[in-house]
Amino acid sequence: MAAELEQSAEHFRGQARLPGFAAPRRYDLLLTPDLAACTFAGSVSVDVDVATPTRFLVLNAADLDVSPGDVHFAPKGSGQVLLPVEVTSALEDEILIIRFNEVLPVGEGTLVIAFQGTLNDKMKGFYRSVYELNGEKKNMAVTQFEPADARRCFPCWDEPSFKAVFKITLDVPSETVALSNMPVVEEKVNGPTKTVYFQESPIMSTYLVAVIVGMFDYVEAFTADGTSVRVYTQVGKSAQGKFALEVAVKTLILFKEYFAVPYPLPKMDMIAIPDFASGAMENYGLVTYRETALLFDERHSAAANKQRVAVVVAHELAHQWFGNLVTMEWWTHLWLNEGFATWVSYLAADRFFPEWNVWIQFLEESTTGFRLDALAGSHPIEVDVNHVDEIDEIFDAISYRKGAAVIRMLQSYLGAEIFQKSLAAYIKRFAYSNAKTEDLWAALEEGSGEPVKTLMHSWTKQQGYPVVSVKLKDGKLELEQTQFLSSGSEGVGQWVVPITLCCCSYSVQQKFLFRGKQEDFNLSGLVECQKKDDFWIKLNVDQTGFYRVSYDEELASRLRHAVETNILSAADRYGVLDDTYALCMAGKQKLVTLLHLIAAYKNETEYTVLAHAINTSLSIYEMMAVAAPEELVNMKKFLIDFLEPFAQRVGWDAKGGEGHLNALLRGTLLTALAELGHQATIEEAVRRFNVFLEDRETPLLPPDVRKAAYVALMQTVNKSNKSGYESLLKIYRETDLSQEKVRVLGSLASSPDPDVVCEALNFLLSSEVRNQDCIFVLRGVTAAAHEVAWTWLKENWDYIAETFTGHLLTYFITVTVSPLATDEKGDEAEEFFKSRTKASIARTVKQSIERVRIKAKWVKSTKGEADLGNVLKELAHKH
């Protein structure tokens, strides 16, 4: 007898995956949401393929009421209806175990289940989002199913590999707009309610199913092949959807060419949701977004908002092919979805907005990946997932940013054309099914003839990345690789590193694979090049590889000179600084070396490079507040002298015909000067802000500098003079533009007064701030108040842990714990979380405490730098 016949319900508990003895082929789903009572009822009829004789059907369900009388199974063609003898909900495992007396025959049958649930306020599953219409608060019903929350809306096989067809029907109030993945085929109005029937979907995974019911306006356009594209917004905001609509139409056309497969559905709807946990979600044919990631207001959105919308729209639309048409087999391969969509969103943005230099900005994504992956508590790109609770935490900088960076490295190594053709072949081969990482490598290997699998295994199967140390000796280049860790420890990893190298010029580039631990390379032209006065060598040309480089002293000083004289490309200038900063934090280089290097960027012309120099400087300043408070005056003078000439050049007001990057730079520079307490910046900000407070349309405070002005204003606020704080709250309460609200929230905690910071933190937990937006207040906490924020987190932890879930909860930990910089605080955090850690936050807690230890170590090594004071005095004087 088959094992499935012998088992008891207990056997199915505690398993990572559902059993494979039955699989869904088609769902017929009816949902009836009650928007006033915040509940829903539904029924699902699933065509199931039974592969081996069994008395059980096991599928996912969570937070749903299912009574045994509402379940039955009908084997196809038998005329029988089988009723279960037992229906068990295993809460821990989020499964429904249905046991029959009879053996279910192999072949097709239909499982029917009726159920009820709550429209929750957790922004996952089938949930409610609150909006205002004509001054009245209303609920909309929204779904968010990725990674594993379709089971909170209807019982289903809620794993990516169980693909099926979906036929969805909704019973809703007749005045509302009802949307799903597919177009409406029929609507039947019956007085106050209507039944909306949607076209059957192609085969797809449960996490991509979507349903939305509420009041919306929309703007619409069509692609050349007649696909309808709409952007839905709250009533009265549809004009703010126009920019995203333009980007979407162009993107669908571009990706149809790039993937050599047409967009598979008849329509593409994109919709802004007021309460939304992540940035956006790629539901097939109905993509949901936070308002800030979809809407653009010509008068009140900043250049940074415009870029965010373009990149996020391209990211979500890339998923329609990479993720939705071809889907990862299991969450271990999540990076295939997210790393790829991140990379290709830059490809699209670069095609449509070449003046944005997005491939230079992409380096900020790589840096985020580098920083997380330099922790011992990081994880490989392909990560084992043994329980559904572990999935949320891998939607992180490894899956997205490192994933995107290694794809860029591989594309650069194989060449753009071969890469694109091989991808198109992969998409064709796995369309409407599931794939693993190995399948992509096989397609790329086939298309290129290169050993892709061997090369890439070292990057996706093990965590971390190498630092390649370079020495020049007797005309030879000596290379050595070790795993880079921010703690300064040495890891054991080893990689196949695609080395690229330029010497004195970009006209000749050398490429080779570095496989060993140590190798010497004789490079043609190296000896001649070495004789030149302006000799330099740069590895990892244009930063296309996911590794760091450490140069010997001579080579490093020549690179510093090449930065100063602007000989290096912008990407390489960024890379030299980023690598030096990382090595300094890990105790591999002295802080004074890094400070001398930052000074070499005084004539920098590229926004992303200068922004990186500013952010690096501010984090050094923050660390020195703990390590060497007596040196802060000189450090501040050095930084203000470094930034002032740039700020004078860009000013507060946009110049006619200036570019997008200048607008980004203006905001970054003025915000940094405000944070450093630069008096002239603060006074000018307050002057302009006061005019803006009286007239929100004044040209004196355009959107690109508002955040800087708000941060500057908060520098004047303390507990005995809170007028600036109150004025910002007034703006927050009066605007209905999410981007404006986020700018205000990001500034409220930047006061130097700890009491005001506490008040701002308490405000974030009030009913005035949507749960999705709390994180912006926390991010705005300045160096002086990190310990205040930590104390506040501990005091409010029980409420926070109960109210927030998923990455909204893990953000609280990352943003509050990571900036602490002493071992004493590390011990405190360890002690605090010892009894409060559950599977869904364990990885975040471990990583955050590790960051505290790393900072504490950096503080100690800085205290030991005897010449720091003199160097700072010299630099401050020189500037």
Side-chain angles (χ1 to χ4, degrees), residues 23-255:
R25 294 288 168 250
R26 181 182 185 275
Y27 292 84
D28 199 329
L29 174 65
L30 168 68
L31 290 169
T32 307
D34 182 332
L35 298 177
C38 294
T39 57
F40 64 92
S43 64
V44 66
S45 168
V46 196
D47 293 347
V48 178
D49 235 346
V50 178
T52 36
T54 175
R55 293 185 201 277
F56 289 95
L57 286 175
V58 183
L59 64 163
N60 295 108
D63 305 336
L64 295 175
D65 292 329
V66 177
S67 57
D70 292 333
V71 181
H72 66 258
F73 183 79
K76 193 174 180 182
S78 71
Q80 280 180 296
V81 173
L82 307 180
L83 301 175
V85 286
E86 189 182 24
V87 176
T88 312
S89 287
L91 299 181
E92 284 270 292
D93 299 298
E94 301 184 347
I95 57 175
L96 200 61
I97 305 163
I98 305 168
R99 182 166 71 83
F100 297 89
N101 249 343
E102 304 84 350
V103 175
L104 307 188
V106 169
E108 287 178 33
T110 303
L111 173 68
V112 177
I113 304 177
F115 53 89
Q116 272 152 347
T118 304
L119 291 173
N120 69 71
D121 59 357
K122 302 286 188 200
M123 292 181 273
K124 65 182 192 176
F126 201 10
Y127 72 91
R128 63 183 185 264
S129 175
V130 180
Y131 64 109
E132 267 191 28
L133 186 63
N134 307 326
E136 192 190 337
K137 276 196 159 49
K138 285 188 164 304
N139 292 322
M140 63 174 79
V142 187
T143 56
Q144 166 61 38
F145 291 165
E146 186 179 32
D149 292 313
R151 62 192 68 180
R152 288 183 161 72
C153 178
F154 59 101
C156 55
W157 278 258
D158 198 12
E159 293 179 6
S161 61
F162 286 113
K163 283 190 162 185
V165 166
F166 289 83
K167 175 87 181 75
I168 293 174
T169 307
L170 300 176
D171 273 339
V172 296
S174 41
E175 73 279 7
T176 57
V177 176
L179 300 170
S180 187
N181 307 82
M182 300 300 287
V184 173
V185 281
E186 192 189 356
E187 271 195 18
K188 285 184 187 163
V189 179
N190 180 14
T193 63
K194 64 181 175 183
T195 304
V196 185
Y197 301 88
F198 295 92
Q199 201 177 315
E200 193 164 281
S201 77
I203 182 171
M204 61 191 271
S205 301
T206 48
Y207 79 87
L208 296 166
V209 172
V211 166
I212 294 168
V213 182
M215 302 294 283
F216 304 102
D217 283 346
Y218 68 84
V219 284
E220 181 175 34
F222 292 87
T223 65
D225 7 1
T227 305
S228 147
V229 185
R230 289 180 177 181
V231 175
Y232 284 86
T233 68
Q234 284 190 57
V235 174
K237 287 187 176 184
S238 61
Q240 293 176 24
K242 284 179 179 166
F243 175 66
L245 183 66
E246 282 166 33
V247 173
V249 170
K250 285 191 218 167
T251 303
L252 286 175
I253 294 162
L254 171 69
F255 289 162

Side-chain angles (χ1 to χ4, degrees), residues 597-845:
L597 178 64
I598 290 169
Y601 288 82
K602 63 181 185 293
N603 300 315
E604 185 49 61
T605 53
E606 181 65 42
Y607 159 70
T608 307
V609 182
L610 186 53
H612 197 50
I614 292 169
N615 293 333
T616 302
S617 304
L618 291 174
S619 71
I620 296 168
Y621 184 76
E622 204 169 285
M623 179 274 297
M624 282 179 59
V626 183
E630 70 285 355
E631 299 300 346
L632 279 186
V633 174
N634 280 325
M635 183 68 187
K636 185 183 277 198
K637 183 174 178 349
F638 163 55
L639 291 180
I640 286 175
D641 290 352
F642 175 70
L643 297 176
E644 253 181 337
F646 293 110
Q648 278 158 6
R649 270 205 298 282
V650 299
W652 277 85
D653 302 298
K655 320 281 185 289
E658 73 168 17
H660 171 82
L661 295 171
N662 249 23
L664 294 180
L665 179 60
R666 179 174 294 113
T668 305
L669 271 169
L670 294 172
T671 306
L673 283 165
E675 283 175 7
L676 288 165
H678 182 239
Q679 217 37 52
T681 300
I682 291 169
E683 283 163 16
E684 182 59 13
V686 171
R687 181 183 79 80
R688 289 171 180 258
F689 177 81
N690 288 334
V691 177
F692 174 69
L693 196 56
E694 298 309 313
D695 169 18
R696 303 295 154 85
E697 301 299 324
T698 176
L700 274 182
L701 203 64
D704 294 309
V705 294
R706 273 183 212 163
K707 172 81 187 286
Y710 299 167
V711 168
L713 177 71
M714 284 305 299
Q715 305 310 301
T716 69
V717 172
N718 53 49
K719 72 169 176 229
S720 51
N721 171 19
K722 285 188 358 206
S723 65
Y725 179 78
E726 300 300 342
S727 301
L728 281 180
L729 286 184
K730 182 171 157 58
I731 288 169
Y732 178 81
R733 287 168 180 146
E734 289 173 6
T735 184
D736 73 337
L737 182 71
S738 299
Q739 290 158 347
E740 192 68 76
K741 285 187 183 293
V742 164
R743 278 196 282 267
V744 172
L745 291 175
S747 317
L748 286 180
S750 57
S751 160
D753 186 324
D755 290 331
V756 177
V757 173
C758 255
E759 191 169 330
L761 293 172
N762 289 331
F763 176 70
L764 81 83
L765 293 181
S766 74
S767 60
E768 285 194 69
V769 181
R770 293 183 187 267
N771 284 357
Q772 62 167 22
D773 292 332
C774 293
I775 189 62
F776 297 111
V777 182
L778 281 166
R779 275 191 198 152
V781 172
T782 49
H786 287 322
E787 296 194 4
V788 175
W790 166 231
T791 303
W792 173 87
L793 181 78
K794 287 185 291 186
E795 285 165 3
N796 293 280
W797 177 255
D798 291 345
Y799 173 78
I800 290 166
E802 200 175 294
T803 310
F804 296 85
T805 58
H807 59 261
L808 289 176
L809 177 59
T810 55
Y811 268 148
F812 273 91
I813 300 165
T814 309
V815 175
T816 312
V817 177
S818 300
L820 302 170
T822 64
D823 277 325
E824 177 200 0
K825 292 292 165 200
D827 294 343
E828 244 176 61
E830 221 154 71
E831 188 53 43
F832 179 78
F833 284 110
K834 199 179 274 173
S835 57
R836 294 172 175 87
T837 296
K838 43 187 199 282
S840 56
I841 62 168
R843 193 186 290 279
T844 304
V845 167

Side-chain angles (χ1 to χ4, degrees), residues 371-431:
R371 286 189 185 158
L372 178 51
D373 210 24
L375 300 181
S378 177
H379 63 84
I381 280 182
E382 291 182 65
V383 59
D384 284 335
V385 173
N386 299 310
H387 192 278
V388 66
D389 286 350
E390 298 169 10
I391 303 171
D392 264 332
E393 281 195 302
I394 60 169
F395 282 78
D396 64 4
I398 302 299
S399 299
Y400 284 72
R401 280 127 178 179
K402 182 184 180 181
V406 301
I407 284 167
R408 181 168 183 245
M409 172 166 77
L410 184 57
Q411 187 232 20
S412 167
Y413 178 72
L414 297 177
E417 200 177 320
I418 286 173
F419 187 77
Q420 186 211 332
K421 286 198 169 119
S422 308
L423 269 186
Y426 164 81
I427 296 261
K428 247 187 207 86
R429 186 176 305 158
F430 293 98

Side-chain angles (χ1 to χ4, degrees), residues 9-21:
E10 280 309 304
H11 172 80
F12 301 108
R13 294 173 185 266
Q15 305 296 316
R17 308 269 298 253
L18 291 171
F21 50 72

